[in-house]
Amino acid sequence: MNHPTDSQPAHSGPALEAVGLGLQYQGGWALRNCEFQVPLGRVCGVMGPNGSGKSTLLALGARLLAPTEGELRVLGEAGDTPELRSRVGFVAQDKPLYPTFTVAETLRLGRELNPHWDQEFAQRIVDQGELSGKTRIGSLSGGQRTRVALALALGKRPELLLLDEPMADLDPLARHQLMGTLMAEAAEHGTTIVLSSHILAELEGVIDHLLLVRSGRIVLAGDPDEILDTHLLLTGGGDLSQLADHTVLESRSTGRRTTALVRTGTPVTEGWESDRPSLENLLLGYLRSPALDTTTPSTHSKAAA
Amino acid sequence: MIEYRIERRSGVSTYQQIVQQTKQALRLGLLQPGDKLPTAREVVELTAINPNTVLKAYRELEREGLVEPRPGLGTFVRRSLARPEAAADQPLRAGLVGWVDEARAAGLEREDIAALMASVLEQRFDTGVTPAAAPNEDKGRNG
C-alpha cells in the first residue's frame, strides 16, 4: 500500500505466512511450531544466531525444502508451481552459479529462463561493480559473485526476494551500494524482500519487519518500532519481585544495581529508571532470555545452513 | 535538491533525521515553496534505508502542512520555515544575546545555560501554556 505498484497481481494477503510450520531432519527439528506473517511490500530481516534455522526458513520459502508439518504459504500459495517460482527470487548463502560460465553467459541464462527478465536492470547491477562480461564466474571474488547472484535474482523482477546472508561477503562500499539498489527496487516496485543476517548493523534502518529465530522457534515477529514500544529497559536498586506484573525476559545484577529487560503494556515507575531499549538490547535480551529457552534439539539445523 | 545524510548510530530514529533535516533546510531557506523533495526511490538508493521510513517522514511533514504530494509528480514544499523575526538583525535575537551575556555574567556555564533554556522551553511549550494565556508571568527579570 505504501509503494506505487504497477505490475502487481491480485494477491493481497501476506507475502509469507507460516502455520504450524516445522522441518525435521534425522533426529532433530530445524524449525518447529512457527507461526508468523510477513506482509506484502515489507523489508523483513530474519535474524538469529548461526544454526538457529534462518537458512532453513528461507529454503522452505524458495521451495528447496518441503515442511515436515504445517505449511509456509508464499504469495498465497501453499504448493510449489513453476508459476510461483517465477515470482520468487532466491539467493542462497553460498551463491550457487556455474563457475565455467562468464558473467555475460550467466545473465543470458537468466534471460532464457525467466519470462519477465529485465536485462537492462541486471546489466546495470553488474556494471556498477565494474565487472567485465567476459570474466568467468569461477575467477570472481566472493563479493563479485554475490553481485552477479543478486543481478540474476533481481533481473527476474520477482514479487518476493529471499536472500540468505546476502551481504556477508561484501565490502562496506558494495554493501551500501547493493542495499541501496535493493531498497530502490522495493520503493519502485513494491517488492517484498526477506533477508537473513546475524549482524544487526547490516539490517538496522533497512528492515521494517523482523523475524527473530532462536533454536528453531520464532521468538519475535513484527514491526521493530512497534516491538520496541512494548518493551522497557529498567535500571534500579529494586527487587525483581516488584516486576511481577510484567514479563521479565532477562535481568542482571551488578552490586546494588539491577538491569532488566521487560515486556509490558504499562509504565513502570516506582524505584526503576526506565528506557526504551535499542534494537540491539532487545535482540540480545531475547536470544539470552532463560524464559524463552525451549531447548529444541537444534544439532541438525546446521545441516540446512 | 536536498540530500539526506543518515547517521545510523546517532540514537535519533532515521525518520526523525529526515524530518529534522528537511525542517532545517526550510528554516535556512535552502528549500523554498515549490521545491521538489527527492522521491523515496532516490533517497533510498543513496542512503540504503527503508523506503517506508522516507514515506513516513514525508507524511509527517505533510501533516504539519510543510509539504504536499502531487500525484504522479512528487512531493513539493508548501511553505517555508524561514522566520524573518529570527534573522541576525532582528530584536528577538538581540534580546536573546543580551540575556545570554547576562547569564554568563552571573557565572553560568554553557551547559548551565543550555539546560536552563531547555527546561524553560519544555515548561512553556509542553505544558500547554500559550503566550496569550500567560502574558506577563515571566516579566520579573525585566523589572
Side-chain angles (χ1 to χ4, degrees):
Chain A
M1 146 190 115
N2 287 321
H3 302 297
T5 52
D6 44 9
S7 58
Q8 298 292 308
H11 174 67
S12 58
L16 287 179
E17 181 172 22
V19 183
L21 179 68
L23 185 105
Q24 187 177 30
Y25 287 103
Q26 295 144 336
W29 291 87
L31 286 175
R32 191 107 203 243
N33 298 331
C34 294
E35 304 269 344
F36 64 84
Q37 293 189 347
V38 178
L40 273 181
R42 295 293 185 102
V43 180
C44 171
V46 181
M47 302 213 61
N50 293 322
S52 55
K54 303 188 297 292
S55 295
T56 305
L57 190 59
L58 290 169
L60 283 162
R63 302 302 191 227
L64 300 183
L65 293 171
T68 312
E69 55 182 33
E71 63 180 26
L72 179 61
R73 300 182 78 88
V74 176
L75 299 170
E77 311 240 0
D80 177 17
T81 62
E83 194 267 337
L84 177 64
R85 286 195 180 207
S86 77
R87 297 161 65 197
V88 178
F90 175 60
V91 177
Q93 198 168 7
D94 52 0
K95 324 288 182 308
L97 297 168
Y98 294 104
T100 56
F101 277 33
T102 64
V103 172
E105 284 166 348
T106 303
L107 293 192
R108 166 125 192 266
L109 184 72
R111 189 163 75 227
E112 302 287 339
L113 293 178
N114 295 289
H116 309 295
W117 182 254
D118 186 335
Q119 176 71 21
E120 196 197 320
F121 186 39
Q123 189 66 52
R124 184 147 45 92
I125 295 167
V126 166
D127 290 347
Q128 228 181 18
E130 292 166 11
L131 296 181
S132 156
K134 297 191 193 103
T135 313
R136 296 211 179 274
I137 298 294
S139 63
L140 296 178
S141 73
Q144 290 171 326
R145 202 151 51 226
T146 298
R147 185 177 282 279
V148 176
L150 280 172
L152 202 56
L154 280 162
K156 277 178 84 168
R157 287 279 181 215
E159 293 162 51
L160 170 67
L161 257 178
L162 301 169
L163 308 173
D164 194 359
E165 301 269 359
M167 302 294 157
D169 291 330
L170 299 172
D171 64 68
L173 176 66
R175 186 180 301 166
H176 188 84
Q177 220 177 43
L178 283 170
M179 197 59 101
T181 302
L182 288 174
M183 293 304 106
E185 179 67 8
E188 198 166 23
H189 298 280
T191 313
T192 307
I193 300 177
V194 179
L195 70 174
S196 70
S197 176
H198 56 267
I199 302 164
L200 176 63
E202 277 181 17
L203 299 185
E204 212 165 13
V206 167
I207 59 172
D208 54 16
H209 202 85
L210 170 73
L211 294 176
L212 183 64
V213 195
R214 173 175 166 177
S215 306
R217 315 269 174 160
I218 303 291
V219 290
L220 266 180
D223 179 325
D225 284 334
E226 287 169 18
I227 294 173
L228 288 172
D229 286 342
T230 59
H231 290 77
L232 290 173
L233 197 61
L234 302 175
T235 317
D239 192 327
L240 281 177
S241 61
Q242 294 170 329
L243 301 173
D245 293 346
H246 311 279
T247 309
V248 178
L249 292 152
E250 192 198 20
S251 66
R252 52 183 61 207
S253 297
T254 45
R256 281 186 293 268
R257 291 191 79 67
T258 301
T259 309
L261 177 68
V262 302
R263 184 169 59 226
T264 177
T266 53
V268 182
T269 43
E270 270 174 54
W272 297 90
E273 189 184 310
S274 72
D275 291 302
R276 193 176 199 254
S278 68
L279 194 52
E280 187 167 22
N281 293 150
L282 190 82
L283 296 187
L284 288 173
Y286 268 82
L287 293 178
R288 287 190 297 234
S289 174
L292 293 167
D293 193 0
T294 52
T295 59
T296 306
S298 61
T299 45
H300 289 264
S301 54
K302 218 44 231 172
Chain B
M1 188 179 280
I2 183 169
E3 216 174 88
Y4 298 106
R5 290 161 287 100
I6 303 301
E7 194 59 61
R8 303 281 173 138
R9 296 256 151 213
S10 69
V12 180
S13 71
T14 314
Y15 112 91
Q16 276 297 345
Q17 291 184 45
I18 294 176
V19 170
Q20 285 170 6
Q21 286 174 29
T22 309
K23 286 183 175 175
Q24 186 72 2
L26 290 169
R27 280 196 189 94
L28 297 173
L30 300 174
L31 278 176
Q32 304 272 359
D35 283 354
K36 186 174 183 288
L37 295 185
T39 63
R41 193 218 136 95
E42 286 164 344
V43 175
V44 303
E45 189 154 34
L46 284 174
T47 58
I49 60 168
N50 188 290
N52 288 322
T53 308
V54 183
L55 298 171
K56 185 176 169 189
Y58 284 10
R59 277 198 303 275
E60 167 85 29
L61 292 164
E62 187 191 341
R63 246 197 316 277
E64 296 184 28
L66 298 173
V67 304
E68 62 183 347
R70 293 184 201 154
L73 295 173
T75 303
F76 292 83
V77 175
R78 272 188 67 190
R79 66 180 176 87
S80 171
L81 283 175
R83 301 292 295 260
E85 300 88 334
D89 55 354
Q90 292 299 306
L92 272 178
R93 188 182 171 104
L96 187 58
V97 168
W99 179 82
V100 169
D101 289 347
E102 206 179 311
R104 291 184 72 183
L108 267 62
E109 301 286 334
R110 187 192 179 112
E111 286 80 7
D112 301 324
I113 295 174
L116 181 56
M117 186 67 93
S119 154
V120 171
L121 285 174
E122 185 169 341
Q123 189 208 343
R124 305 311 273 178
F125 282 90
D126 295 358
T127 55
V129 181
T130 61
N136 292 314
E137 200 184 291
D138 210 31
K139 282 284 162 76
R141 67 176 168 84
N142 294 333

